[in-house]
Amino acid sequence: MKVVILAGGLGSRIREESHAVPKPMIEIGGKPILWHIMKLYSHFGFHEFIVCLGYKGYVIKDYFANYVRNASDVTLDFNKRSLTIHPTATEPWIVTLAETGETTMTGGRIKRIRSYLGDEPFLLTYGDGLTNVNIQDVVQFHESHGKLATVTAVQPTGRFGSLTIASDQQVQRFNEKPRGDGIWVNGGFFVLQPEVLELIKDDSSVFEKEPLEQLAASGQLHAFQHGGFWYAMDTLHDKHHLQRLWEAGNAPWKLW
């Protein structure tokens, strides 16, 4: 089963770093967050990736074009003008880097890579979210219900502390940033049947709008509820939080 990763957005809420590199290439622990996402999928046996490029896509191309060389010992023969890359252990990845346009919306990006997908179900996620969800469990759940789409539902940490207030205005309970604020949200990490592509019209289609709304309305979208770790890197604050987890040796998404 192939893994599609949306990696073409502008990353406007983290412009401090995305002005220089695309958001999926912002590093956590010296590696792009895109690498962390791919390592998670690979841990569960999914090694073939289609990365949808857009803004500064050439940076991602350069990274993977030189990936094996940079991870290996090399011998440079200046007389012969030759470079020898010595065999070394690297990830068993097959990576297709697809140009899907700088201004294309999320649905349009998926539509553009249709020819690489074949007629099999595929996995889909965003290039900025980390989790410790068991991908194999998500796939098995998808296969069990027989519908067209599965979304991993998560309860992120709330943005604000909550108060329980009595009738006399006394605060009875304070809960600092309650988990999920009581709601489940789209955490990405989808499993999709190829028929889903028929719901995407063109480059202007936002996958999270008409396609997912239609799937939900027709009973074709089921949620795999994940109560474990999930975190999206939207801002510089988020990046620093993930970096601190990594440096402390307490990165929940590092399952490999």
Side-chain angles (χ1 to χ4, degrees):
M1 194 176 287
K2 296 176 181 177
V3 182
V4 177
I5 303 178
L6 298 172
L10 293 175
S12 56
R13 285 183 287 183
I14 192 169
R15 289 295 294 172
E16 298 93 337
E17 297 207 21
S18 66
H19 73 280
V21 297
K23 187 177 179 183
M25 293 302 292
I26 295 174
E27 293 186 350
I28 305 297
K31 296 285 188 179
I33 192 170
L34 177 60
W35 177 89
H36 290 265
I37 295 167
M38 293 170 69
K39 289 287 285 187
L40 175 73
Y41 276 103
S42 193
H43 172 75
F44 288 106
F46 302 100
H47 307 303
E48 188 167 355
F49 300 91
I50 303 167
V51 183
C52 298
L53 306 179
Y55 172 71
K56 293 186 182 295
Y58 64 88
V59 176
I60 300 177
K61 282 185 176 178
D62 288 347
Y63 178 78
F64 285 106
N66 297 311
Y67 188 86
V68 174
R69 184 198 66 183
N70 290 341
S72 306
D73 293 341
V74 300
T75 297
L76 299 164
D77 188 325
F78 290 90
N79 292 319
K80 296 181 179 179
R81 304 292 194 272
S82 66
L83 168 67
T84 302
I85 301 176
H86 299 282
T88 189
T90 56
E91 289 79 9
W93 294 346
I94 300 173
V95 184
T96 298
L97 304 169
E99 292 287 352
T100 57
E102 287 204 7
T103 60
T104 307
M105 296 292 101
T106 50
R109 294 190 190 283
I110 302 167
K111 189 82 167 180
R112 284 207 186 190
I113 52 96
R114 176 70 180 87
S115 61
Y116 296 118
L117 293 172
D119 297 318
E120 302 297 324
F122 61 97
L123 302 164
L124 171 73
T125 196
Y126 306 105
D128 61 1
L130 296 174
T131 184
N132 61 356
V133 68
N134 186 314
I135 304 296
Q136 286 287 1
D137 286 351
V138 181
V139 171
Q140 290 174 13
F141 172 78
H142 176 79
E143 293 171 345
S144 72
H145 63 64
K147 303 300 182 181
L148 294 182
T150 294
V151 58
T152 299
V154 298
Q155 288 188 303
T157 300
R159 294 180 59 196
F160 308 105
S162 67
L163 304 177
T164 302
I165 304 175
S167 58
D168 62 356
Q169 283 71 56
Q170 177 186 342
V171 176
Q172 296 178 321
R173 182 180 179 187
F174 180 85
N175 187 4
E176 174 63 7
K177 296 183 179 178
R179 183 174 180 79
D181 290 339
I183 62 171
W184 292 90
V185 303
N186 167 21
F189 299 93
F190 296 88
V191 187
L192 304 172
Q193 296 298 123
E195 291 86 347
V196 170
L197 294 164
E198 298 171 9
L199 302 176
I200 302 173
K201 293 181 180 179
D202 52 32
D203 282 1
S204 66
S205 295
V206 177
F207 182 64
E208 298 77 14
K209 287 191 173 291
E210 287 82 2
L212 284 182
E213 290 171 355
Q214 290 179 40
L215 287 166
S218 62
Q220 290 294 324
L221 176 64
H222 279 216
F224 180 91
Q225 292 177 293
H226 174 59
F229 176 83
W230 177 89
Y231 203 91
M233 187 186 68
D234 286 330
T235 65
L236 193 62
H237 171 79
D238 296 330
K239 183 251 173 116
H240 291 160
H241 173 67
L242 293 170
Q243 181 67 30
R244 286 192 296 270
L245 290 176
W246 184 269
E247 291 175 351
N250 187 32
W253 69 89
K254 187 181 183 300
L255 303 180
W256 57 91

